[in-house]
C-alpha cells in the first residue's frame, strides 16, 4: 500500500493472450493488465476486495 497515494502496488504476470486482450478492450498507453493468482487475494485487506471475492 502506497500511503501517499492511497493505492496498492501490484506485481503480477503481464497478460499477452490476444483473446483475453480482445475481451478486455482498449488499454491506455500508460497502463497494463496483470494476472494475479487468486491465492494472493488472501494477502489483501478485506476492504480492498470486491463482493465476489473469497
Amino acid at each position: 500500500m502506497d500511503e501517499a497515494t492511497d493505492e496498492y502496488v501490484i506485481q503480477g504476470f503481464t497478460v499477452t493472450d490476444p483473446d483475453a486482450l480482445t475481451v478486455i478492450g482498449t488499454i491506455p498507453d500508460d497502463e497494463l493488465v496483470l494476472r494475479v493468482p487468486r491465492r494472493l487475494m488472501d494477502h489483501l485487506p478485506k476492504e480492498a476486495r470486491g463482493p465476489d471475492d473469497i
Side-chain angles (χ1 to χ4, degrees):
M1 175 69 165
D2 184 333
E3 298 291 338
T5 62
D6 198 34
E7 298 173 329
Y8 288 96
V9 178
I10 303 292
Q11 177 180 340
F13 305 98
T14 304
V15 175
T16 58
D17 175 54
D19 293 332
L21 292 171
T22 297
V23 171
I24 293 166
T26 303
I27 303 166
D29 291 339
D30 61 341
E31 296 182 10
L32 57 92
V33 177
L34 298 175
R35 289 186 183 272
V36 178
R38 181 183 284 257
R39 70 186 187 295
L40 294 182
M41 292 299 295
D42 291 338
H43 300 283
L44 290 177
K46 289 183 181 181
E47 63 271 10
R49 300 180 191 187
D52 296 329
D53 293 327
I54 297 173

